[in-house]
Amino acid sequence: MAADVRKRSSPEKGAVASDGEHVGNTTGEDGARSQGFARSRFCGLLPKLLIIAAVPIVAFAFKYYQDGQLLKRHESGLRTLGTEGLFLFSSLDTDHDLYLSPEEFKPIVEKLTGISPPGEFEEEVPQDPNGETLTVEAKMQPLLLETMTKSKDGFLGVTHSSLSGLRSWRGPAVPSSVFFASQFRGFLPPKNKLEAGDPWWLVPSELNIFTGYLPNNRYNPPTPRGKEVILHSLLSMLHPRPFIKSRFAPQGAVACIRAISDFYYDIIFRIHAEFQLNEVPNFPFWFTPGQFTGNIVLSHDSSHVREFHLYVPNNRSLNVDMEWLYGASEGSNMEVDIGYLPQMELQASGPSVPSFIQDEEGNVIDSRGGEGDPIQFVFEEIHWKSEISQGEAARRLELTLYPFKKVAYLPFSEAFSRAREEKKLRSAACTQAQQLLLFTGSGRTLRETVLESSPVLTLLNQSFISSWSLVKELEDLQADVSNPALSGIAALHLQKYNFPVEMMLSLPNGTVIHHINANYFLDQTAMKPEEEADSTMFSFSGGFEDPSTATYIRFLREGLEKAREHLA
């Protein structure tokens, strides 16, 4: 049964759509017959080849059987639970095998009993007072208030107390701090993640459809535990109240090895945390950078740190979300805005060094120099024996945090160039369109729902070039007189935009053929069945996990039909 709650180890399943349709293998029975013909042709001539050829046949048969079983479970779950019930079940089924393990069922237990089992945290290891230390320096330029949307009307209606924490935050709380190298042990990979490019969770996300979001009405972060401790200590250099687990998804921190040598790892990481800027009696003000990212080069036993760098990327025109309450309760009104932070970073001033060393005669010497000059250390060059690029490592971390990024979202200008190029390579019957999501804020709700859906991902990859752009970026393109063609395309899309997120479908020449506002879309998909029957713009089709997925599929297909009409 689909709702069976028990532990089950699932072998690799390949590309299987969440509605049970197999999307990664199209050979079917014809493929099996062709392989059987190849086997009979060489039978008796090259017996060794027969053994080798049998391996893919067995693998294909097992894969075919496995996918069939998954489809049966999905159909059984749909009959037993209905569409909404299966959607809730799937939200807990993190490995998508349509069985719930005790770990996957844990959120339900916590919700029903109100008791959270004790978390699994690493024991804190006492620091060796004679171990190596490194100095980490913090640098920060405050948020540019003129980049906030509210600045356009002089912050009309925004109380002075609401922004008091933001206005007073002009630099790092602790400009410089000394850490033991062993404190960075939390960045080391687990034993089953020792290959370059294989991501793991430094701080796992605890959010799902049952836990919901974490509360807004808080001032002080919870006590950090395990690997959270080093992250909390580092981010506390920037502001005294960092929340390592953000209120909304993506939550937590992920990492992967970028390069490996005989003695060192180069580890890329990405952290989604936020700061609480206000204190009582002012109401909470949340400051949420788009991400913290960086890398650390450390020895396999974490006794030595060669490099450390953590920063908020500043390559986009807006990179921080802000939310603040206008009341003391959780249900109080909340204001939202977005802005640009020029600089926020932490960086080691150099490799970690021992505090004390012994000379040739056994005398203990303070490496920091004491009254004299500090001792100069020389470090060997690192020779990496296995590595991937920085960009590839970042892409894998992004996919771990954002399943919707299985579809490539290109910059605005590049997306239109790609759409024109691919249209030339395709036949006239295969219409190419572009999906553009134009937004002012983060588009969080869309990312966490329909854009992660397997049917939506499949259709987008098959028939669309996708882009995700800030309004500010398109305004800059529109004002660029050096590229009148792109300026005109940007203007066409800005004409269709409404706050906060507008979903648009357009042709490679920039013509917007279909669009819908995110708020209206969410209202439509939240309607009761009897209300939905009266709606003429969208209707829910069967076979998908939830109404929002079905509605978005309908939106995309209507766009393809309109594209064909324009090109007819």
Side-chain angles (χ1 to χ4, degrees), residues 199-201 203-205 249-255 269-272 290-292 394-405 447-448 452:
W200 73 89
W201 288 90
V203 177
S205 173
Q251 184 193 71
V254 292
F269 55 83
R270 177 166 171 165
I271 304 164
H272 283 267
Q291 61 168 292
F292 296 89
R395 187 189 70 84
R396 297 190 185 191
L397 296 184
E398 189 171 53
L399 281 176
T400 302
L401 290 162
Y402 295 111
F404 84 94
K405 284 295 185 80
R447 294 196 317 245
E448 296 171 14
E452 290 186 358

Side-chain angles (χ1 to χ4, degrees), residues 70-183:
L70 198 64
L71 179 59
K72 289 180 181 178
R73 284 184 227 153
H74 181 273
E75 293 173 346
S76 174
L78 194 60
R79 288 193 303 270
T80 304
L81 303 174
T83 302
E84 293 187 3
L86 185 59
F87 173 65
L88 297 178
F89 181 90
S90 299
S91 74
L92 296 171
D93 183 22
T94 56
D95 59 2
H96 307 297
D97 64 351
L98 287 172
Y99 286 94
L100 292 187
S101 67
E103 184 66 24
E104 291 170 329
F105 190 68
K106 186 170 69 171
I108 297 295
V109 174
E110 296 176 6
K111 200 73 175 178
L112 294 177
T113 64
I115 302 174
S116 299
E120 295 183 5
F121 295 103
E122 293 184 350
E123 294 183 6
E124 295 186 15
V125 180
Q127 305 303 325
D128 180 5
N130 297 319
E132 294 189 4
T133 60
L134 74 158
T135 300
V136 176
E137 298 175 345
K139 297 179 181 179
M140 173 189 165
Q141 297 179 43
L143 183 120
L144 302 180
L145 294 177
E146 62 269 22
T147 63
M148 295 175 64
T149 305
K150 301 293 186 296
S151 70
K152 295 180 180 179
D153 57 10
F155 294 98
L156 183 66
V158 180
T159 63
H160 181 77
S161 61
S162 296
L163 302 183
S164 61
L166 177 65
R167 293 182 186 276
S168 63
W169 191 20
R170 310 302 298 170
V174 182
S176 180
S177 186
V178 176
F179 292 85
F180 285 104
S182 57
Q183 287 181 261

Side-chain angles (χ1 to χ4, degrees), residues 91 158 173 183 246 459 506 542 555:
S91 74
V158 180
Q183 287 181 261
S246 56
L459 184 55
S506 54
F555 168 68

Side-chain angles (χ1 to χ4, degrees), residues 16 25 102 163 217 236 258 289 299 360 499:
V16 180
N25 191 334
L163 302 183
N217 191 25
S236 292
R258 191 204 67 81
S299 62
E360 296 177 352
F499 182 85

Side-chain angles (χ1 to χ4, degrees), residues 271-474:
I271 304 164
H272 283 267
E274 53 191 348
F275 300 101
Q276 175 53 243
L277 304 193
N278 280 354
E279 297 181 272
V280 176
N282 298 327
F283 298 129
F285 184 105
W286 293 93
F287 187 93
T288 311
Q291 61 168 292
F292 296 89
T293 189
N295 78 300
I296 180 171
V297 177
L298 77 169
S299 62
H300 291 183
D301 62 358
S302 77
S303 62
H304 177 67
V305 174
R306 179 65 67 90
E307 300 174 13
F308 177 78
H309 187 209
L310 177 152
Y311 64 98
V312 174
N314 59 3
N315 58 320
R316 301 199 71 168
S317 58
L318 299 168
N319 58 358
V320 177
D321 279 325
M322 289 161 282
E323 299 175 324
W324 59 94
L325 292 176
Y326 277 125
S329 67
E330 186 63 28
S332 301
N333 291 333
M334 175 173 280
E335 194 74 71
V336 299
D337 210 332
I338 193 167
Y340 180 70
L341 182 72
Q343 181 186 33
M344 179 177 282
E345 65 178 318
L346 302 173
Q347 189 161 17
S349 60
S352 64
V353 295
S355 300
F356 300 94
I357 61 174
Q358 289 185 334
D359 62 15
E360 296 177 352
E361 299 177 357
N363 299 315
V364 176
I365 302 175
D366 187 343
S367 65
R368 293 163 292 187
E371 297 180 356
D373 295 331
I375 296 175
Q376 300 297 316
F377 291 88
V378 178
F379 299 94
E380 79 281 6
E381 183 180 354
I382 301 175
H383 298 283
W384 303 113
K385 61 181 183 180
S386 174
E387 60 182 310
I388 61 174
S389 69
Q390 180 103 9
E392 176 61 19
R395 187 189 70 84
R396 297 190 185 191
L397 296 184
E398 189 171 53
L399 281 176
T400 302
L401 290 162
Y402 295 111
F404 84 94
K405 284 295 185 80
K406 292 174 183 176
V407 168
Y409 283 82
L410 305 178
F412 186 82
S413 57
E414 184 181 341
F416 279 95
S417 299
R418 177 78 63 85
R420 287 190 292 269
E421 291 171 3
E422 294 200 6
K423 184 176 183 298
K424 293 177 182 177
L425 296 175
R426 293 171 181 263
S427 66
C430 186
T431 303
Q432 181 76 32
Q434 173 164 336
Q435 174 202 218
L436 172 70
L437 290 94
L438 187 58
F439 65 106
T440 300
S442 64
R444 178 189 300 137
T445 303
L446 288 174
R447 294 196 317 245
E448 296 171 14
T449 53
V450 294
L451 295 181
E452 290 186 358
S453 165
S454 293
V456 171
L457 290 171
T458 300
L459 184 55
L460 289 176
N461 276 319
Q462 287 176 347
S463 302
F464 293 87
I465 300 296
S466 296
S467 181
W468 183 289
S469 300
L470 289 165
V471 170
K472 179 66 167 60
E473 294 170 344
L474 263 64

